[in-house]
Amino acid sequence: MTRLIFALSGNPQRTIADTVLRGQMRRMAGSGILVAVGYIDPGNWATDIAGGSGFGYGLLSIVLLSAILAMGFQVLAARVAVATGRDLAQLTAAELSRPFARLAWLAGEAAILATALAELIGGAIALRLLFGLPLMAGVAITGVGTFLVFYLTRGQTERHERVIAVLLAIVALSFVFLLLEARPSWLAMGTGITQTGRALSHTEGFMIALGILGATLMPHNLYLHSGTLAERARQLPPHARPLAYTVARNDTIVSLGIAMLINAAIMIVAAASMSGSGPAIASLDGAHAAIGQSLGAAAAIVFAVALYAAGQSSTITGVMAGRMLSAGFNPGRGLSDPGRAAVTRVVAAVAAMLLLGLSSGQDPDQWLVLSQVVLSLALPFALVPLVLLACRRSVMGERVLHPAWATAAVAATAGIIVLDLYLVADALI
């Protein structure tokens, strides 16, 4: 309609301006797919599988609740980025106290390293399941795969988005196949969703639910999302920003909706193929074996392929988030994506090999749990600044958060932090 109006006006300048604006609006979509993969990393797989195998469909509502919370905070990150043209790291460094900003930066770096550790180990587990490779070799190959992606994409965000979309599609199609093979009872699923309280009444079920909630948000995803959108919003004229925010918001909801469906599918497949009764399967190896026994060898192969695709896609976004984090907190000192990939992968690979060596390669899933603990500790240092900044009129202007939404954001932040601290305390005791 807008194109027709401008064409009929006979004003070529308006037509050109409209074409440019439409191009800018198209660029506001796509960043959501980058953050969506953070919600299907190997750490999420572990908690979803444990919930489904131990409690059937009883914790499926927790997966859905977690996704809604994630959507809310990622949309908030998009709102801040589009309204200000600056990302969360830049705003935290500029608007909040220097000591807190320094802590936020260190916490963010720790979260990115923890995520890289989880993805490398998750990828190594997938390669062992597929080809019988030793975990050490799998860590090295997974790291090399990340470098290859960055070489092929030449550091262009749009190319990264296409690669991520392909990897996410592999995961999604894999679980469509697994769902068809598992043939879950939709009636049992509907009944199970109404029995969340029964699952939570068990200590194990409650802790798994906390694990799912604890993995609701990853700090680096907030930095990545705000960073990619801020880069695209800086050149927008003020009158175009409301529309840009609408596009970014819808992109976020759709992308995280896909991630929610994949997480739900992971739990549904676990519930349908692993009996849905305790004890919960707490390892990816155990899940792979159970799927192979109940659904067949082909399903087990598809499971391992999807696991590798999920881990590899998360490593790519982790590198991009790290570059934005360091550039925001330390202007002029940020590394390029290939440089960041080199530093992060080497440090994480060394850490992964040391941890696997200390445990003689036994129970690698324990290091996935460790990564979730680190992420939980780092989360408040990203959530608190995000909510504070969104509520400041001096920062947001007319896009400042409405009091009712601000109250909801503060309450949700406090709740997530309390649950995360409880989970961390239980893991460390």
Side-chain angles (χ1 to χ4, degrees):
M1 180 63 71
T2 302
R3 178 185 299 176
L4 177 61
I5 292 173
F6 285 167
L8 292 175
S9 71
N11 187 336
Q13 293 183 342
R14 291 290 300 275
T15 304
I16 293 172
D18 180 49
T19 302
V20 172
L21 182 59
R22 283 198 298 271
Q24 291 173 324
M25 292 302 105
R26 282 194 294 270
R27 293 191 69 240
M28 298 307 296
S31 60
I33 205 74
L34 294 177
V35 301
V37 299
Y39 299 99
I40 57 168
D41 75 327
N44 290 76
W45 282 48
T47 53
D48 291 337
I49 289 171
S53 63
F55 299 93
Y57 306 110
L59 296 177
L60 190 57
S61 59
I62 302 298
V63 172
L64 303 180
L65 174 62
S66 299
I68 292 172
L69 285 172
M71 287 180 189
F73 282 108
Q74 294 294 167
V75 166
L76 188 59
R79 183 188 185 99
V80 171
V82 175
T84 65
R86 293 186 289 173
D87 60 52
L88 181 58
Q90 293 172 327
L91 287 169
T92 301
E95 300 291 338
L96 302 182
S97 68
R98 183 175 178 81
F100 184 85
R102 185 62 59 178
L103 285 174
W105 170 55
L106 293 175
E109 294 287 3
I112 287 170
L113 284 175
T115 302
L117 174 69
E119 313 321 346
L120 287 173
I121 291 179
I125 292 174
L127 290 174
R128 183 176 68 178
L129 297 176
L130 284 169
F131 307 111
L133 293 177
L135 287 174
M136 296 292 190
V139 168
I141 291 173
T142 302
V144 170
T146 303
F147 288 114
L148 180 61
V149 169
F150 279 103
Y151 173 76
L152 294 176
T153 56
R154 301 292 197 278
Q156 295 186 25
T157 303
E158 288 79 4
R159 291 183 179 179
H160 286 144
E161 290 169 359
R162 288 194 288 270
V163 172
I164 294 299
V166 170
L167 292 172
L168 190 62
I170 291 172
V171 178
L173 292 174
S174 297
F175 274 97
V176 168
F177 172 80
L178 291 174
L179 282 172
L180 294 175
E181 290 294 308
R183 298 176 183 176
S185 169
W186 302 107
L187 178 61
M189 190 185 309
T191 303
I193 290 177
T194 66
Q195 297 178 342
T196 302
R198 181 179 300 179
L200 294 177
S201 66
H202 293 80
T203 301
E204 185 182 18
F206 182 69
M207 294 310 300
I208 292 173
L210 286 184
I212 295 171
L213 285 171
T216 297
L217 282 168
M218 293 186 177
H220 71 277
N221 265 347
L222 296 172
Y223 292 111
L224 173 63
H225 200 189
S226 65
T228 53
L229 286 175
E231 287 179 350
R232 302 171 187 187
R234 286 179 193 130
Q235 304 304 318
L236 291 176
H239 72 271
R241 296 203 174 190
L243 177 59
Y245 167 67
T246 300
V247 173
R249 180 196 63 197
N250 294 344
D251 173 59
T252 302
I253 292 173
V254 170
S255 298
L256 293 189
I258 294 172
M260 176 189 71
L261 293 176
I262 292 174
N263 271 312
I266 294 172
M267 182 171 285
I268 292 169
V269 168
S273 62
M274 304 174 197
S275 80
S277 58
I281 294 177
S283 72
L284 295 174
D285 288 277
H288 178 263
I291 286 178
Q293 291 175 0
S294 60
L295 303 182
I301 292 173
V302 169
F303 175 87
V305 170
L307 175 62
Y308 183 79
Q312 189 61 264
S313 59
S314 295
T315 61
I316 297 168
T317 58
V319 171
M320 297 173 65
R323 186 252 301 169
M324 293 175 181
L325 182 74
S326 58
F329 282 108
N330 301 283
R333 301 180 185 176
L335 296 173
S336 63
D337 281 346
R340 181 77 196 196
V343 173
T344 306
R345 290 316 97 174
V346 168
V347 173
V350 170
M353 290 180 178
L354 286 175
L355 293 173
L356 292 173
L358 289 174
S359 60
S360 301
Q362 302 299 312
D363 190 19
D365 296 81
Q366 66 180 307
W367 307 123
L368 298 180
V369 174
L370 174 63
S371 72
Q372 296 301 308
V373 171
V374 175
L375 289 172
S376 296
L377 289 172
L379 183 57
F381 294 96
L383 278 185
V384 172
L386 175 63
V387 174
L388 286 175
L389 293 165
C391 294
R392 285 189 179 181
R393 185 171 294 276
S394 60
V395 174
M396 298 290 292
E398 295 181 356
R399 303 299 296 175
V400 66
L401 206 57
H402 187 278
W405 287 111
T407 301
V410 170
T413 300
I416 289 175
I417 290 173
V418 169
L419 292 175
D420 278 345
L421 291 177
Y422 186 92
L423 181 65
V424 170
D426 179 79
L428 296 179
I429 293 177

